[in-house]
Amino acid sequence: MVARIIDGKQRAAVLRRDIAIGVGHLRDETGITPKLATILVGNDPASAIYVRRKAEQAAAVGMQTESHRLCETIAQAELLSLIDALNRDGAVHGILVQLPLPQHIDKAAVLRAIDPAKDVDGFHPINVGLLASDDHAALDRIIPCTPMGCMMLLVDELGSLEGLNAVVVGCSNIVGRPMAQLLLQARCTVSIAHIHTRNLPDLVAAADILVSAAGAPGLIKGAWVKAGAIVIDVGINHVPNDDGHGSRIVGDVCFDEAKERASAITPVPGGVGPMTIACLLENTLRAASALQARDLPNSETRKKGTPQFA
Ligand code: NAD
């Protein structure tokens, strides 16, 4: 079997087109234009590129943006006071603090300070808790962007995920844990592997759905992959080119081997990555719609087409 290559770039373009339509509807019906505020602390070049891309793509779907760039040595209190101001600003619907933050800043305190209704990354403990609950209404809320994108790709491939064995490699708050929660909500039987897992090849071999988010290049060997499995490779790893000049980006999965066994597989780059930013825009539109409905409870306007995975 040779796997179908899942085109995340193309899927993300379709999602952005739908979001642009949703932004237009919201504006026409309520006069509200969703606004995303980004906060970047320090000078990490990769983070600067990510934040710029997020703002550019938000603008391209018709959203407003507001970018805050703070110096590396900023006091935590000053960052918290900026977040407080954005929380209170009725024109701002989404707040994104680019991670990682400098060491002297307490990341958890910063994430907790964001109004959960504007937490478009879905990292606030309230949003984490809602995702972990079996209240399906919670799925109508904010879901962390990368796992949301993975679920969209899986639902496109499979329709229902009910009863399938899903293995998630990696248990970070950003990817692995919320991914496992979403798969559970979709009625999969879910296993979570991590750095201390002893029987990774056996676990992977039982997976109808494999999501790898370890950040370990070449971790998943093709021979481990169950014939016909769907493989979603979240890993983004920079490795040196074979000729010793420069570097390239690869995932966690040995792609050439795995594609001979899987029924569908995401490439790196061009798989999950493009979905992540598109899902951030989806969350910003969702947040703007929900805030508008909260402020005007009698309004007819609701976000249409909210993705449901269960
Ligand atoms: P993280 O370092 O916070 O977590 C990595 C997880 O993988 C940990 O739970 C760890 O226990 C596990 N792990 C590491 N090595 C392992 C091994 N050899 N065997 C089993 N488990 C192992 O990383 P993260 O933030 O969750 O990101 C994971 C990867 O996904 C990174 O490569 C990151 O760049 C990438 N990522 C991609 C996107 C995207 O949009 N495509 C978004 C976020 C993260």
Side-chain angles (χ1 to χ4, degrees):
M1 172 178 293
V2 177
R4 220 178 67 71
I5 310 302
I6 298 171
D7 187 344
K9 259 193 192 163
Q10 204 255 338
R11 181 63 178 87
V14 170
L15 180 57
R16 286 197 303 273
R17 185 203 61 198
D18 290 348
I19 294 167
I21 293 168
V23 169
H25 281 151
L26 187 68
R27 199 177 38 233
D28 292 348
E29 290 168 17
T30 67
I32 287 171
T33 300
K35 185 172 189 181
L36 174 67
T38 61
I39 303 176
L40 172 63
V41 183
N43 298 313
D44 176 53
S47 293
I49 291 170
Y50 282 137
V51 170
R52 199 181 63 228
R53 270 194 209 146
K54 288 168 184 175
E56 282 170 359
Q57 293 197 19
V61 296
M63 294 180 181
Q64 293 182 328
T65 61
E66 174 177 319
S67 300
H68 298 266
R69 188 156 191 173
L70 309 177
C71 85
E72 179 87 23
T73 53
I74 191 159
Q76 179 168 315
E78 212 172 319
L79 173 57
L80 292 178
S81 109
L82 170 60
I83 292 172
D84 184 48
L86 295 171
N87 284 342
R88 291 161 189 270
D89 184 342
V92 170
H93 306 99
I95 302 171
L96 176 138
V97 177
Q98 184 66 36
L99 301 177
L101 289 166
Q103 292 248 315
H104 68 281
I105 291 181
D106 177 355
K107 180 179 87 173
V110 169
L111 297 180
R112 268 198 314 273
I114 299 172
D115 178 346
K118 298 187 178 186
D119 166 38
V120 282
D121 263 334
F123 298 155
H124 189 284
I126 287 185
N127 288 323
V128 173
L130 283 168
L131 191 64
S133 89
D134 65 358
D135 173 3
H136 281 201
L139 288 182
D140 199 24
R141 303 175 68 107
I142 287 170
I143 297 171
C145 306
T146 301
M148 188 203 294
C150 295
M151 285 303 286
M152 287 180 180
L153 298 177
L154 285 168
V155 170
D156 285 354
E157 285 302 315
L158 292 164
S160 168
L161 277 53
E162 188 171 301
L164 296 176
N165 277 341
V167 172
V168 180
V169 185
C171 61
S172 71
N173 289 332
I174 295 176
V175 191
R177 284 169 199 246
M179 187 72 232
Q181 294 293 354
L182 287 171
L183 289 163
L184 187 60
Q185 298 269 14
R187 304 187 188 92
C188 291
T189 302
V190 184
S191 307
I192 307 174
H194 46 75
I195 191 79
H196 302 292
T197 297
R198 292 187 182 165
N199 58 342
L200 190 59
D202 293 344
L203 211 55
V204 169
D208 302 306
I209 294 170
L210 173 66
V211 180
S212 187
L219 173 66
I220 309 291
K221 311 296 174 219
W224 300 359
V225 173
K226 181 176 176 179
I230 311 278
V231 178
I232 305 289
D233 191 351
V234 181
I236 298 178
N237 307 295
H238 295 264
V239 297
N241 282 328
D242 297 336
D243 64 5
H245 295 292
S247 65
R248 66 189 197 283
I249 292 174
V250 299
D252 293 345
V253 179
C254 296
F255 180 83
D256 290 336
E257 300 167 17
K259 80 175 191 322
E260 301 299 321
R261 294 181 60 79
S263 62
I265 185 167
T266 56
V268 178
V272 174
M275 294 298 289
T276 296
I277 299 184
C279 289
L280 172 75
L281 307 180
E282 168 72 24
N283 275 341
T284 305
L285 175 57
R286 248 188 236 197
S289 302
L291 284 163
Q292 187 274 341
R294 186 180 76 177
D295 294 344
L296 299 170
N298 296 325
S299 161
E300 295 286 305
T301 304
R302 286 265 183 258
K303 163 78 173 66
K304 296 171 185 74
T306 297
Q308 294 288 341
F309 304 124

